[in-house]
Amino acid sequence: DKIDKKYGVFLLNQKDFEKYKDDTDFSSTSDWWLSTKSDDGFMYVEKSGSINENGDMVIRAKGIRPAIWISID
């Protein structure tokens, strides 16, 4: 889960998802991956916008939601 966000595009992890879930609509037309490992593979966000902490194997067809940090200094 240690992703260096200064290098452009990345996938959200569970910590970032939890931080922004109350201010962001994470619902989608398909499930999408997080970068946080679980016992069964990697966690993902379900269509409803809820996190699935049990996870799934990465070979399953799920989407991705690329994220970037933008400095507005």
Side-chain angles (χ1 to χ4, degrees):
D1 251 6
K2 293 184 179 183
I3 296 173
D4 192 345
K5 296 174 181 144
K6 70 180 181 181
Y7 290 112
V9 180
F10 61 96
L11 298 180
L12 288 178
N13 57 34
Q14 180 185 20
K15 182 179 174 182
D16 289 334
F17 176 87
E18 296 292 341
K19 181 177 180 179
Y20 298 110
K21 72 178 182 177
D22 293 332
D23 298 325
T24 306
D25 180 9
F26 283 119
S27 61
S28 179
T29 57
S30 65
D31 298 341
W32 50 276
W33 294 109
L34 294 174
S35 64
T36 305
K37 286 186 148 195
S38 71
D39 290 339
D40 294 330
F42 281 83
M43 295 181 187
Y44 63 92
V45 178
E46 297 174 339
K47 294 176 187 179
S48 65
S50 300
I51 191 171
N52 184 311
E53 293 182 5
N54 295 324
D56 203 352
M57 296 180 295
V58 177
I59 60 172
R60 304 282 187 222
K62 298 187 187 326
I64 60 168
R65 277 194 158 177
I68 58 172
W69 290 111
I70 299 173
S71 176
I72 55 173
D73 294 337

